[in-house]
Amino acid sequence: MADEATTALSGRVLQVTDLTVHFGVDNVWVPAALSLNYSIERGNVFAIVGRSDSGKSAS
């Protein structure tokens, strides 16, 4: 039974592949994030940190 519980709680819950985000600033596209790749496994903690207005929410 413990093996079934472990299997049910393990695994990837999110995977992002090759994410790029640009914002329009003064009629110019400005990159905020380029080719991001990450995955989050169940039970792990993941944080995106950066300066204000750097595109964290969009990525």
Side-chain angles (χ1 to χ4, degrees):
M1 184 127 182
D3 290 331
E4 291 176 20
T6 301
T7 301
L9 294 176
S10 66
R12 184 175 299 137
V13 294
L14 174 68
Q15 179 171 341
V16 175
T17 304
D18 201 26
L19 174 69
T20 297
V21 179
H22 288 82
F23 293 107
V25 178
D26 296 328
N27 295 319
V28 176
W29 287 105
V30 178
L34 298 174
S35 299
L36 294 179
N37 297 293
Y38 55 85
S39 63
I40 302 171
E41 302 292 329
R42 186 176 308 280
N44 289 331
V45 176
F46 183 83
I48 298 175
V49 296
R51 295 176 52 168
S52 178
D53 295 326
S54 65
K56 299 179 300 294
S57 298
S59 58

